[in-house]
Amino acid sequence: MKNKLKVLRAEHDMTQQDLAQAVEVSRQTINAIEKGKFDPSLVLAMKLSRLFKEDIETLFIYED
Amino acid sequence: MKNKLKVLRAEHDMTQQDLAQAVEVSRQTINAIEKGKFDPSLVLAMKLSRLFKEDIETLFIYED
DNA sequence: TTTTCATGTAAAGTTTGCTTGACATTAATT
DNA sequence: AATTAATGTCAAGCAAACTTTACATGAAAA
């Protein structure tokens, strides 16, 4: 699964820490997701989607 | 988190078993999600979304 | 009525998402 | 050159997603 977190974070001028706080997870979780270590839960994906006002599918790209 | 799986399944005339096979999880997983026992992973939500051709957000309703 | 099918549920185990704490590295300030 | 801010990463642990096996129930069909 690929994602556009790093770019959106840059566009919104946020640090990983800022984003982590905004969606109520740890900084390490944001870092791990950006680095592709694991996928976010559905709830976290929804929080990020709402924050950045982007569809989940545009934020996270899953190709089988 | 609420969801519309049961209804969509009915509309598509599928059993829990059918749906489970279509998205490659166990029948119990589908049942548990329908019953609200836990939320699907992001990948599973995406598979269901694609199968039923509905946005994740319309399939799964999360209200803080 | 007996068999079959769809659903519900439970227990035990594995994997994955996420936590805290800690430390290393790199880039930007002072 | 020294400090600070942002990022990367690791380890140990907990919680949630998902598995298999198994059994119970109700509805439909033979």
Side-chain angles (χ1 to χ4, degrees), chain B residues 25-29 38-41:
Chain B
V25 292
S26 69
R27 179 181 67 83
Q28 287 81 344
T29 291
F38 52 75
D39 300 330
S41 68

Tab-separated table of all heavy atoms in Angstrom, chain B residues 25-29 38-41, chain D residues 16-24:
chain	number	residue	atom	x	y	z
B	25	VAL	N	-11.465	-13.561	3.075
B	25	VAL	CA	-11.366	-13.695	4.530
B	25	VAL	C	-12.267	-14.854	4.944
B	25	VAL	O	-12.947	-15.452	4.105
B	25	VAL	CB	-11.791	-12.417	5.289
B	25	VAL	CG1	-10.814	-11.277	5.050
B	25	VAL	CG2	-13.212	-12.018	4.937
B	26	SER	N	-12.280	-15.175	6.231
B	26	SER	CA	-13.124	-16.266	6.707
B	26	SER	C	-14.565	-15.787	6.864
B	26	SER	O	-14.821	-14.583	7.003
B	26	SER	CB	-12.606	-16.786	8.041
B	26	SER	OG	-12.802	-15.820	9.048
B	27	ARG	N	-15.471	-16.726	6.856
B	27	ARG	CA	-16.880	-16.398	7.036
B	27	ARG	C	-17.099	-15.717	8.386
B	27	ARG	O	-17.876	-14.755	8.495
B	27	ARG	CB	-17.706	-17.692	6.992
B	27	ARG	CG	-19.185	-17.509	7.189
B	27	ARG	CD	-19.916	-18.839	7.166
B	27	ARG	NE	-19.590	-19.696	8.304
B	27	ARG	CZ	-20.173	-19.601	9.507
B	27	ARG	NH1	-21.091	-18.692	9.721
B	27	ARG	NH2	-19.830	-20.418	10.477
B	28	GLN	N	-16.377	-16.175	9.392
B	28	GLN	CA	-16.499	-15.599	10.734
B	28	GLN	C	-16.090	-14.139	10.767
B	28	GLN	O	-16.642	-13.347	11.539
B	28	GLN	CB	-15.660	-16.390	11.740
B	28	GLN	CG	-16.221	-17.766	12.107
B	28	GLN	CD	-15.893	-18.829	11.081
B	28	GLN	OE1	-15.511	-18.548	9.953
B	28	GLN	NE2	-16.041	-20.082	11.454
B	29	THR	N	-15.131	-13.790	9.954
B	29	THR	CA	-14.697	-12.393	9.888
B	29	THR	C	-15.828	-11.512	9.357
B	29	THR	O	-16.122	-10.459	9.930
B	29	THR	CB	-13.442	-12.254	9.006
B	29	THR	OG1	-12.352	-12.872	9.690
B	29	THR	CG2	-13.103	-10.811	8.743
B	38	PHE	N	-15.818	-6.102	15.513
B	38	PHE	CA	-14.629	-5.288	15.277
B	38	PHE	C	-14.691	-4.648	13.908
B	38	PHE	O	-15.567	-4.968	13.101
B	38	PHE	CB	-13.325	-6.083	15.464
B	38	PHE	CG	-13.252	-7.367	14.683
B	38	PHE	CD1	-13.034	-7.354	13.311
B	38	PHE	CD2	-13.356	-8.589	15.323
B	38	PHE	CE1	-12.926	-8.539	12.593
B	38	PHE	CE2	-13.263	-9.779	14.602
B	38	PHE	CZ	-13.049	-9.754	13.247
B	39	ASP	N	-13.787	-3.710	13.667
B	39	ASP	CA	-13.732	-3.008	12.387
B	39	ASP	C	-12.834	-3.764	11.419
B	39	ASP	O	-11.869	-4.402	11.840
B	39	ASP	CB	-13.144	-1.611	12.587
B	39	ASP	CG	-13.975	-0.793	13.548
B	39	ASP	OD1	-15.200	-0.998	13.616
B	39	ASP	OD2	-13.396	0.066	14.251
B	40	PRO	N	-13.128	-3.675	10.123
B	40	PRO	CA	-12.249	-4.331	9.150
B	40	PRO	C	-10.922	-3.579	9.045
B	40	PRO	O	-10.843	-2.411	9.422
B	40	PRO	CB	-13.027	-4.224	7.853
B	40	PRO	CG	-13.859	-3.002	8.015
B	40	PRO	CD	-14.231	-2.973	9.472
B	41	SER	N	-9.918	-4.249	8.534
B	41	SER	CA	-8.666	-3.569	8.218
B	41	SER	C	-8.931	-2.656	7.025
B	41	SER	O	-9.957	-2.778	6.353
B	41	SER	CB	-7.598	-4.593	7.845
B	41	SER	OG	-7.935	-5.213	6.616
D	16	DA	P	-8.610	-3.238	21.895
D	16	DA	OP1	-9.397	-2.026	22.159
D	16	DA	OP2	-8.943	-4.536	22.533
D	16	DA	O5'	-8.590	-3.484	20.321
D	16	DA	C5'	-7.938	-2.554	19.464
D	16	DA	C4'	-7.728	-3.190	18.116
D	16	DA	O4'	-6.735	-4.225	18.222
D	16	DA	C3'	-8.976	-3.866	17.546
D	16	DA	O3'	-8.997	-3.626	16.152
D	16	DA	C2'	-8.750	-5.340	17.845
D	16	DA	C1'	-7.245	-5.434	17.694
D	16	DA	N9	-6.608	-6.519	18.422
D	16	DA	C8	-6.841	-6.925	19.694
D	16	DA	N7	-6.092	-7.929	20.074
D	16	DA	C5	-5.315	-8.190	18.969
D	16	DA	C6	-4.307	-9.140	18.711
D	16	DA	N6	-3.903	-10.041	19.602
D	16	DA	N1	-3.738	-9.123	17.492
D	16	DA	C2	-4.136	-8.227	16.596
D	16	DA	N3	-5.058	-7.276	16.714
D	16	DA	C4	-5.615	-7.325	17.937
D	17	DA	P	-10.255	-4.021	15.254
D	17	DA	OP1	-10.627	-2.822	14.465
D	17	DA	OP2	-11.266	-4.719	16.068
D	17	DA	O5'	-9.576	-5.082	14.272
D	17	DA	C5'	-8.572	-4.643	13.380
D	17	DA	C4'	-8.037	-5.831	12.599
D	17	DA	O4'	-7.425	-6.754	13.521
D	17	DA	C3'	-9.095	-6.635	11.833
D	17	DA	O3'	-8.534	-6.966	10.562
D	17	DA	C2'	-9.304	-7.867	12.709
D	17	DA	C1'	-7.920	-8.064	13.293
D	17	DA	N9	-7.851	-8.762	14.580
D	17	DA	C8	-8.613	-8.533	15.691
D	17	DA	N7	-8.300	-9.312	16.712
D	17	DA	C5	-7.264	-10.094	16.238
D	17	DA	C6	-6.486	-11.114	16.823
D	17	DA	N6	-6.659	-11.538	18.073
D	17	DA	N1	-5.528	-11.680	16.058
D	17	DA	C2	-5.358	-11.247	14.818
D	17	DA	N3	-6.015	-10.307	14.149
D	17	DA	C4	-6.971	-9.758	14.928
D	18	DC	P	-9.530	-7.571	9.420
D	18	DC	OP1	-8.934	-7.152	8.134
D	18	DC	OP2	-10.934	-7.283	9.720
D	18	DC	O5'	-9.290	-9.137	9.589
D	18	DC	C5'	-8.003	-9.691	9.260
D	18	DC	C4'	-7.897	-11.094	9.794
D	18	DC	O4'	-7.902	-11.083	11.235
D	18	DC	C3'	-9.024	-12.044	9.415
D	18	DC	O3'	-8.596	-12.932	8.371
D	18	DC	C2'	-9.313	-12.813	10.706
D	18	DC	C1'	-8.169	-12.403	11.618
D	18	DC	N1	-8.563	-12.470	13.046
D	18	DC	C2	-7.875	-13.350	13.879
D	18	DC	O2	-6.936	-14.005	13.411
D	18	DC	N3	-8.252	-13.474	15.173
D	18	DC	C4	-9.272	-12.756	15.647
D	18	DC	N4	-9.603	-12.920	16.932
D	18	DC	C5	-9.996	-11.837	14.819
D	18	DC	C6	-9.616	-11.727	13.533
D	19	DT	P	-9.500	-14.209	7.956
D	19	DT	OP1	-9.241	-14.410	6.524
D	19	DT	OP2	-10.884	-14.090	8.451
D	19	DT	O5'	-8.801	-15.400	8.771
D	19	DT	C5'	-7.383	-15.569	8.698
D	19	DT	C4'	-6.989	-16.825	9.440
D	19	DT	O4'	-7.062	-16.550	10.865
D	19	DT	C3'	-7.938	-17.993	9.197
D	19	DT	O3'	-7.310	-19.011	8.426
D	19	DT	C2'	-8.278	-18.548	10.564
D	19	DT	C1'	-7.609	-17.652	11.537
D	19	DT	N1	-8.584	-17.124	12.543
D	19	DT	C2	-8.558	-17.649	13.807
D	19	DT	O2	-7.785	-18.527	14.144
D	19	DT	N3	-9.467	-17.109	14.680
D	19	DT	C4	-10.390	-16.119	14.416
D	19	DT	O4	-11.152	-15.709	15.287
D	19	DT	C5	-10.372	-15.630	13.053
D	19	DT	C7	-11.334	-14.556	12.657
D	19	DT	C6	-9.483	-16.147	12.191
D	20	DT	P	-8.247	-20.195	7.880
D	20	DT	OP1	-7.499	-20.827	6.778
D	20	DT	OP2	-9.624	-19.711	7.670
D	20	DT	O5'	-8.312	-21.222	9.127
D	20	DT	C5'	-7.124	-21.803	9.631
D	20	DT	C4'	-7.466	-22.698	10.816
D	20	DT	O4'	-8.035	-21.889	11.874
D	20	DT	C3'	-8.506	-23.781	10.488
D	20	DT	O3'	-8.020	-25.036	10.934
D	20	DT	C2'	-9.769	-23.356	11.248
D	20	DT	C1'	-9.198	-22.512	12.379
D	20	DT	N1	-10.101	-21.423	12.828
D	20	DT	C2	-10.387	-21.288	14.167
D	20	DT	O2	-9.942	-22.029	15.022
D	20	DT	N3	-11.222	-20.248	14.478
D	20	DT	C4	-11.786	-19.349	13.606
D	20	DT	O4	-12.519	-18.457	14.004
D	20	DT	C5	-11.446	-19.549	12.211
D	20	DT	C7	-12.006	-18.629	11.178
D	20	DT	C6	-10.628	-20.557	11.893
D	21	DT	P	-8.757	-26.391	10.560
D	21	DT	OP1	-7.704	-27.426	10.453
D	21	DT	OP2	-9.686	-26.148	9.430
D	21	DT	O5'	-9.643	-26.683	11.861
D	21	DT	C5'	-9.052	-26.615	13.151
D	21	DT	C4'	-10.128	-26.760	14.213
D	21	DT	O4'	-10.740	-25.474	14.460
D	21	DT	C3'	-11.269	-27.717	13.837
D	21	DT	O3'	-11.415	-28.666	14.875
D	21	DT	C2'	-12.479	-26.805	13.701
D	21	DT	C1'	-12.115	-25.683	14.661
D	21	DT	N1	-12.811	-24.380	14.426
D	21	DT	C2	-13.237	-23.668	15.522
D	21	DT	O2	-13.074	-24.026	16.671
D	21	DT	N3	-13.877	-22.491	15.225
D	21	DT	C4	-14.118	-21.990	13.957
D	21	DT	O4	-14.703	-20.929	13.818
D	21	DT	C5	-13.645	-22.787	12.862
D	21	DT	C7	-13.859	-22.334	11.461
D	21	DT	C6	-13.012	-23.933	13.148
D	22	DA	P	-12.457	-29.947	14.745
D	22	DA	OP1	-11.659	-31.174	14.976
D	22	DA	OP2	-13.276	-29.830	13.514
D	22	DA	O5'	-13.419	-29.711	16.002
D	22	DA	C5'	-13.222	-28.636	16.923
D	22	DA	C4'	-14.562	-28.081	17.344
D	22	DA	O4'	-14.783	-26.796	16.702
D	22	DA	C3'	-15.767	-28.939	16.953
D	22	DA	O3'	-16.407	-29.403	18.133
D	22	DA	C2'	-16.657	-28.019	16.141
D	22	DA	C1'	-16.169	-26.638	16.551
D	22	DA	N9	-16.433	-25.611	15.545
D	22	DA	C8	-16.140	-25.660	14.203
D	22	DA	N7	-16.522	-24.600	13.539
D	22	DA	C5	-17.111	-23.795	14.502
D	22	DA	C6	-17.715	-22.527	14.441
D	22	DA	N6	-17.829	-21.817	13.311
D	22	DA	N1	-18.202	-22.006	15.587
D	22	DA	C2	-18.089	-22.716	16.705
D	22	DA	N3	-17.542	-23.913	16.898
D	22	DA	C4	-17.062	-24.407	15.739
D	23	DC	P	-17.578	-30.531	18.070
D	23	DC	OP1	-17.248	-31.483	19.144
D	23	DC	OP2	-17.773	-30.979	16.675
D	23	DC	O5'	-18.875	-29.712	18.528
D	23	DC	C5'	-18.803	-28.833	19.648
D	23	DC	C4'	-19.911	-27.807	19.575
D	23	DC	O4'	-19.651	-26.864	18.516
D	23	DC	C3'	-21.292	-28.424	19.253
D	23	DC	O3'	-22.224	-27.924	20.190
D	23	DC	C2'	-21.577	-27.915	17.846
D	23	DC	C1'	-20.869	-26.565	17.897
D	23	DC	N1	-20.649	-25.944	16.567
D	23	DC	C2	-21.042	-24.611	16.358
D	23	DC	O2	-21.545	-23.983	17.298
D	23	DC	N3	-20.862	-24.045	15.138
D	23	DC	C4	-20.325	-24.752	14.153
D	23	DC	N4	-20.166	-24.156	12.973
D	23	DC	C5	-19.915	-26.111	14.339
D	23	DC	C6	-20.090	-26.668	15.548
D	24	DA	P	-23.650	-28.626	20.401
D	24	DA	OP1	-23.663	-29.199	21.757
D	24	DA	OP2	-23.920	-29.473	19.216
D	24	DA	O5'	-24.638	-27.385	20.361
D	24	DA	C5'	-24.264	-26.131	20.939
D	24	DA	C4'	-25.211	-25.060	20.437
D	24	DA	O4'	-24.740	-24.549	19.176
D	24	DA	C3'	-26.636	-25.570	20.195
D	24	DA	O3'	-27.557	-24.647	20.748
D	24	DA	C2'	-26.749	-25.666	18.687
D	24	DA	C1'	-25.781	-24.582	18.229
D	24	DA	N9	-25.173	-24.830	16.927
D	24	DA	C8	-24.518	-25.962	16.521
D	24	DA	N7	-24.067	-25.898	15.298
D	24	DA	C5	-24.450	-24.636	14.859
D	24	DA	C6	-24.266	-23.953	13.637
D	24	DA	N6	-23.619	-24.480	12.606
D	24	DA	N1	-24.789	-22.706	13.540
D	24	DA	C2	-25.433	-22.193	14.587
D	24	DA	N3	-25.664	-22.725	15.794
D	24	DA	C4	-25.135	-23.965	15.853
